[in-house]
Amino acid sequence: MVIDSVEGGGRFEGVIKQRVGTTTIADASDRNAAWSRIANWADTSAVLITAPVAGQNASAALQGAPAPRCLAEPLADGRYLVTARGLSAGASFNGSGQLLGGAEVWLQSVISPEPVHFNGKGYE
């Protein structure tokens, strides 16, 4: 979703494209990183991206779980830091985005709109 939105793709236009962060950060530990502020995980956050619910194809264990959420932030080197937060069925959180009950999992990835190349020694 993020690469499609920032590279001019047509699949995820509108709201999702507007929610990709505009503040460039150095890396995940940057003090200006949006993912580290719990208020950015609240339903009212302007940068929160909520993934579509799987619906009837979801396993019984996922039925009733809040939709997965992520934040996408541009990095100084042209790549994007994507931080995802998944919540268990029955998970609840307050209006500020803080988990009150249930379980959560966090995952961070750095993605690049450019192809990765192998130079014979490693990937660049």
Side-chain angles (χ1 to χ4, degrees), residues 42-102:
D43 290 335
T44 56
S45 171
V47 295
L48 180 67
I49 299 170
T50 303
V53 178
Q56 63 184 4
N57 294 328
S59 71
L62 295 177
Q63 298 286 334
R69 299 151 178 262
C70 74
L71 298 179
E73 302 177 77
L75 295 169
D77 62 5
R79 298 180 302 165
Y80 289 83
L81 174 68
V82 177
T83 305
R85 181 184 186 196
L87 300 161
S88 67
S92 61
F93 42 94
N94 64 20
S96 299
Q98 184 177 16
L99 184 70
L100 298 175

Side-chain angles (χ1 to χ4, degrees), residues 23-35 73-81 110:
T23 301
T24 300
I25 59 173
D27 57 33
S29 64
D30 191 307
R31 68 185 198 135
N32 294 314
W35 76 267
E73 302 177 77
L75 295 169
D77 62 5
R79 298 180 302 165
Y80 289 83
L81 174 68
V110 174

Side-chain angles (χ1 to χ4, degrees), residues 2 12-13 16 38 43 51 60 64 76-78 83 86 98 105 109 121:
V2 173
F12 300 104
E13 290 294 328
I16 291 177
I38 199 69
D43 290 335
D77 62 5
T83 305
Q98 184 177 16
V105 62
S109 296
K121 296 179 182 176

